[in-house]
Amino acid sequence: MGNTDTKLNFRKAVIQLTTKTQPVEATDDAFWDQFWSDSATSVQDVFALIPAAEIRAVREESPSNLATLCYKAVEKLVAGAESGCPSDTEKQIILNCARLLTRVLPYIFEDPDWRGFFWSSVPGAGRSQDDDDEEDSSRPLAESLLLAVANLLFCPDFTVQSHRRSGTDTTEDIHTLDSCEYIWEAGVGFAHSPTPNHTHDLNRTELLKLLLTCFSEAMYLPPLSESNGAGNPWVQFFCSAENRHALPLFTSLLNVVCAYDPVGYGIPYNHLLFWDSREPLVEVSAQLLIVTLDSDPTTNSGPSMDGTTTSTAMDENESPVPDNLFVNYLSRIHREEDFQFILKGLARLLLNPLTQTYLPNSTKKIQFHQELLVLFWKLCDFNKKFLFFVLKSSDVLDVLVPILYFLNDARADQSRVGLMHIGVFILLLLSGERNFGVRLNKPYSVRVPMDIPVFTGTHADLLIVVFHKVITSGHQRLQPLYDCLLTIIVNVSPYLKSLSMVASNKLLHLLEAFSSPWFLFSSPQNHHLVFFLLEVFNNIIQYQFDGNSSLVYAIIRKRNIFHQLANLPSDTPSIQRALQRKKKPAEPISRTNSQDGASMEGSRPAAPAEPGTLKTSLIATPAIEKLTEKSQVSEDGTLRAIDPDVPQAELEDGAQSRQTRRFSNVSSSSQWNPTTDWVMSWKVKLPLQTIMRLLQVLVPQVEKICIDKGLTDESEILKFLQHGTLVGLLPVPHPILIRKYQANAGTAMWFRTYMWGVIYLR
């Protein structure tokens, strides 16, 4: 039968379904088989031939027909999983049913009246003809669907290579085969790499898209219902011990993503000559991983990836079966070679969009870097051994550089605000560990094209220069992230051995902008930014003075900022005068005096979103106090948590507003009225002693040299500062304070909305 005939028959069946007001009997196979028995209808055909309006019409006018369609399609999947799909016809029926359900499910999820449909038992659904098992006959439709798809993902000659030896007729029994021997790709827990098979990749992709559609019901629920502990029932069931393929499927998804090399054989324009069946599979695998890993890690414990029980501390009375096996398996990976495989794979894919060649468009660029960042986040958050492995070598910089590239590239584009957040959250998580700060001292030699000033220095310089660019030339919606950006710099500052002159000037430019009276007075939270920057300077002066002559020189040159801060007026007329001078709200920070200089070769400026770009909404970013908890570094390098009830110098009384601070936009300033008492409450706590002592000692010495030797050349002054010392002249060093990322319900909810937004738009 020709393809046109197939489409006509399929379309005819759809029209019949929408026009029949009487219920069609479930036993009328001649009618129902029209939807899946004809030869191939591509997924594009299915979407084109079943318009959204018609699905909604059936749902409203003949709901029993829509219910029967779903139940019959699931029945076909169950039958295919039962038989192992030995014939091509059966394989085609499975694909047609999967496409049909992928198309129809969202319209069932969007209607609150249908919410329980898949979780109710349909008599006979999910049961094969010869199966009289009571339990199976009363399974909810959702469970039958999920178990059938799980079985079909390890179906020989359909989604995996058959292990049958040639010459033998024995078919592999889909019910008894050990799917751990059929894992899709070598990597974690599996050494054998199966021969690539284009058809198997396509069939897996179709089934995984159906799974993703099932899991997407979370998108259609009111936001609160997910945070009340109920979770996503589809994900919960699929990742439970009910699914006997949970381990091999988790491993297959992870290995397929981490083993993927989009550049292939490295032949220019290779991707234009051959269609890569692997990329759509890798993309949907990454999406499926992040959705199944959307879970609270505290409830998951159990067996490890190598089959041994990991927790000898596990109490006999504790439930040995974790809630979510995918989270459990992820948290139990522990072999160094597995960590290396995962990190190298993710770094290779994250660096891919940055790859520059002399031949434009000659290398393939992947589009799913946001999913990869969420996956990296989940790995670090759920598996602390992986986090420590990442920070143990300078490989962490292969993740840092792409994140900084994305932050810089997306800073002017409001549609990519979520990408900015995930990048910043990852760096906040990493910055809570001492090793991250130490790694940043590695010289930065890779020249990724970014529109930032050219500098010679370390990865720490790159981080500071990019953060400065985000703050001074990003869009308004990034303002809730400023606390996070500065917290990251504070966390790494005690370990930075030598900042470049470019990065030093950027830090002082930020202080200059944030300490102007109009800015300090225009919001109840803005002064926190000044406290963070002063803490950065204090950490470097106290712990890394010797190598940081550029920063010391920049502080001396801009010493008036510190004197003005110390003498900040707090009387009511001065406060009012400062607020009158307020700049227009759209451009909170001037770019003057920032001495940007030439940008890197091959870079292009960050651009706003194209007109008409789709944006998804995100919930508010949790405030920095909610995102982090403070720890103090002891002399032996260990961290100890600080009692949150003990007030910190830079945090004012709890009476101050705690809502996420917005830059001085009109609405907040019209309600906000700063008082003398309020200014004094934090002004007296400004940690200026160390810097003032440094200026007191060094400024006269520098001025004397300039007069005596007639110096105007900064290199001579820098040379003098390099050999100077402040030993015994500074106040006693303060303890190092690290603000570590702290998981909470707010961030979990933020990640959930962000993740589904990314998947929805893709």
Side-chain angles (χ1 to χ4, degrees), residues 443-485:
Y444 176 66
S445 51
V446 204
R447 285 288 170 250
V448 172
M450 296 192 216
D451 64 323
I452 54 171
V454 178
F455 67 91
T456 304
T458 65
H459 284 75
D461 295 309
L462 177 68
L463 180 137
I464 289 167
V465 168
V466 168
F467 282 13
H468 173 270
K469 197 89 174 176
V470 168
I471 291 171
T472 57
S473 63
H475 57 77
Q476 286 290 95
R477 284 181 68 195
L478 299 180
Q479 289 162 5
L481 285 178
Y482 293 176
D483 280 343
C484 288
L485 292 169

Side-chain angles (χ1 to χ4, degrees), residues 31 35 86 92-93 208 224 300 324 353 365 636:
F31 175 76
F35 288 97
Q92 195 53 59
I93 288 174
L208 293 180
L224 288 174
N300 292 283
N324 181 320
K365 283 195 167 43
D636 61 358

